[in-house]
Amino acid sequence: MSTAVSVYLSAIEGADRAALQRVYAIALEVVPEAEEGTSYGMAALLYRGKGLIAAVQAKKFLSLYPFSGRVVAGNLDLLAQFETTSGSIHFSAENQLPDPVLRRIVMARRAEIDERVR
């Protein structure tokens, strides 16, 4: 990675940085054609020109944004131990999203983008 996401991550230190890097690395494994960019003012991975996923550091937690309330709502059964909003999932370096959950969220967002772009 060499643009928006990389620049954003370079400003974060320690365990939070590692946790955010993990999110982006898994997302790129699931959607290798994703590209770095920005969406809604956040460093993000883009797929087919749309926001695929963003992971950012907030003051008290880390947030995952799949840019879709439908994707968050569709995975609430897997997110019981995490705080959610209509469009984000909060986690921490100590309590990260499990790999299968993260992969499912990324795949659901990719499918949603594919459906809309057709």
Side-chain angles (χ1 to χ4, degrees), residues 9 26-27 30 33 35 37 41 51 54 56 63 72 75-76 78 80-82 84 96 103-104 112:
L9 291 174
I26 289 172
V30 174
E33 61 273 30
E35 299 175 344
V56 301
S63 287
V72 173
N75 288 285
L76 286 175
L78 302 173
Q81 69 185 47
F82 300 95
T84 61
Q96 296 185 41
R103 289 176 190 282
R104 181 170 158 180
E112 186 177 69

Side-chain angles (χ1 to χ4, degrees), residues 8 15 17 20-21 25 27-28 32 50 54-56 59-61 64 67 79-80 83 90 93 97 116 118:
Y8 174 72
R17 180 179 181 173
L20 296 173
Q21 284 176 317
L28 283 169
K50 308 284 185 196
V56 301
K59 189 172 184 175
K60 295 183 179 184
F61 48 78
L64 175 70
F67 301 108
L79 300 170
E83 182 179 329
H90 301 168
L97 292 162
R116 290 182 179 170
R118 289 186 184 147

Side-chain angles (χ1 to χ4, degrees), residues 25-105:
I26 289 172
L28 283 169
E29 286 176 16
V30 174
V31 186
E33 61 273 30
E35 299 175 344
E36 290 190 33
T38 58
S39 187
Y40 293 94
M42 294 181 280
L45 291 179
L46 306 177
Y47 171 66
R48 300 181 95 177
K50 308 284 185 196
L52 175 68
I53 203 160
V56 301
Q57 180 185 51
K59 189 172 184 175
K60 295 183 179 184
F61 48 78
L62 303 175
S63 287
L64 175 70
Y65 292 91
F67 301 108
S68 169
R70 192 170 93 182
V71 169
V72 173
N75 288 285
L76 286 175
D77 59 320
L78 302 173
L79 300 170
Q81 69 185 47
F82 300 95
E83 182 179 329
T84 61
T85 68
S86 61
S88 69
I89 303 158
H90 301 168
F91 64 102
S92 67
E94 297 78 28
N95 186 28
Q96 296 185 41
L97 292 162
D99 285 9
V101 173
L102 186 52
R103 289 176 190 282
R104 181 170 158 180
I105 288 167

Side-chain angles (χ1 to χ4, degrees), residues 1-20:
M1 291 190 257
S2 62
T3 58
V5 171
S6 299
V7 170
Y8 174 72
L9 291 174
S10 71
I12 298 171
E13 298 180 2
D16 282 357
R17 180 179 181 173
L20 296 173

